[in-house]
Amino acid sequence: MTSPPAPPTWLAQALDTAPASRRTTVAGRSIHWLEWGDPQAPTTALLHGGGAHAWWWAPVAALLARDLHVVALDLSGHGDSDHRDAYRFADWVAEVVAVLDAADTAGRPLVVGHSMTGIVAAMAAAAHGPRLGGAVAVDTPLAVPDPAAIGDAETVFAAPKRYASEDEARRRFRLLPDQPVLHAALLDHVAARSAVRRADGWAWKFDPRVFERQLPDRPADVGAVLSAARCPIAVVVAERSGVVPLVQRRRLRAMAAGGPTDPVLVTVPGGHHHLMFDRPRELAAVLAERAAARSAVAAEPAG
């Protein structure tokens, strides 16, 4: 049997970079987060999408940690954080702020949210902008997405399957919506950290109740939240993603008119929705550039 090809050296090194595992309590629930790099360096906080967890960011975080302090959260109901009786975007914003406090961040941090949590990053920028150096929404739709565009992910996540073994769950791990992956080792690295043993078998770590219905405080117009941000904003769009439709991209281009408070719009060529899986180096480069811009802002007086 032929062995699978080894990942490129840079990816192998990124996946071998072990973060520290941390916890902090927010509103009575234990919130887990990972930490890479020097805590004295400027901080970037990475937020996973719906049904995902902090390890999805592993290669991007390791690349950024060469120059930055990086924290990646498991928001409540995801990964190794506790579940809640009910979920709200405002609660996730509070978790982000609490982790930034616990991490003793240097200067004003950059908050990055992918897909669903681009909303969290935008809401954090609107509510806590003066204490942030900036926020980035990565391939986040401005309205509730068409189910087909996200591979019916919310329906699938609301009724997850059980597996007889961890190995079976690991083999069944896939991305929704489906897309190319840079290397099998990257997918397997995340899959190995995605399942947990329950009384009735192996299950994915996220809480299905997050996806049973739209959360009560989901903004009807994410564009309006981005416009209300009180810190620099960037929006990253994957060229080949269907999650942010053309009409929304046109609106984002119109919003990014080049004024001092307008959002910066960046398109990643050839990228799909889960950019950390098919374009991790390109995404890391974009975020490093935004972190550098944040550093310039952070040198100015807050407020």
Side-chain angles (χ1 to χ4, degrees):
M1 183 176 178
T2 304
S3 300
T9 300
W10 71 266
L11 179 58
Q13 292 175 343
L15 296 178
D16 285 343
T17 303
S21 177
R22 312 289 192 201
R23 287 191 174 274
T24 192
T25 300
V26 185
R29 297 294 188 271
S30 176
I31 302 302
H32 176 253
W33 46 285
L34 302 174
E35 183 176 34
W36 291 259
D38 179 3
Q40 298 306 310
T43 299
T44 293
L46 304 174
L47 315 180
H48 57 77
H53 50 79
W55 285 102
W56 283 48
W57 285 105
V60 173
L63 292 170
L64 291 174
R66 296 170 181 172
D67 301 301
L68 300 169
H69 175 225
V70 182
V71 298
L73 286 71
D74 286 334
L75 298 175
S76 57
H78 295 79
D80 293 317
S81 289
D82 285 350
H83 295 182
R84 295 191 184 276
D85 297 330
Y87 297 93
R88 297 188 311 146
F89 280 95
D91 294 330
W92 288 334
V93 171
E95 291 167 14
V96 173
V97 172
V99 166
L100 291 174
D101 287 341
D104 193 22
T105 56
R108 290 189 281 183
L110 180 72
V111 176
V112 180
H114 172 246
S115 193
M116 178 185 77
T117 63
I119 300 173
V120 179
M123 291 175 65
H128 304 281
R131 68 162 295 175
L132 302 180
V136 182
V138 179
D139 217 56
T140 297
L142 301 182
V144 175
D146 183 331
I150 56 174
D152 292 312
E154 292 182 345
T155 300
V156 173
F157 293 165
K161 296 179 179 179
R162 289 292 189 268
Y163 303 97
S165 66
E166 182 180 17
D167 185 60
E168 181 188 3
R170 188 167 170 172
R171 292 196 310 270
R172 297 294 186 93
F173 181 82
R174 61 191 177 98
L175 303 178
L176 289 176
D178 189 28
Q179 67 167 66
V181 175
L182 178 67
H183 197 279
L186 173 52
L187 194 70
D188 189 63
H189 186 84
V190 175
R193 294 159 175 81
S194 296
V196 63
R197 189 168 193 167
R198 307 290 189 200
D200 55 349
W202 285 84
W204 305 122
K205 289 182 176 180
F206 60 80
D207 185 350
R209 293 175 300 169
V210 174
F211 307 99
E212 289 176 349
R213 60 187 63 86
Q214 290 295 330
L215 301 191
D217 63 340
R218 188 194 195 284
D221 180 8
V222 179
V225 182
L226 291 169
S227 296
R230 296 189 290 158
C231 64
I233 286 284
V235 177
V236 178
V237 177
E239 181 187 24
R240 297 185 180 177
S241 169
V243 175
V244 183
L246 182 59
V247 65
Q248 295 183 14
R249 297 180 189 220
R250 288 172 177 160
R251 181 181 175 196
L252 288 168
R253 278 194 288 272
M255 292 171 63
T261 60
D262 294 331
V264 173
L265 177 62
V266 180
T267 299
V268 178
H272 296 75
H273 177 60
H274 303 288
L275 284 165
M276 63 281 292
F277 280 93
D278 72 330
R279 294 289 189 274
R281 284 196 291 185
E282 292 84 345
L283 179 56
V286 170
L287 298 182
E289 182 178 353
R290 299 318 308 159
R294 174 276 318 274
S295 297
V297 171
E300 300 173 3

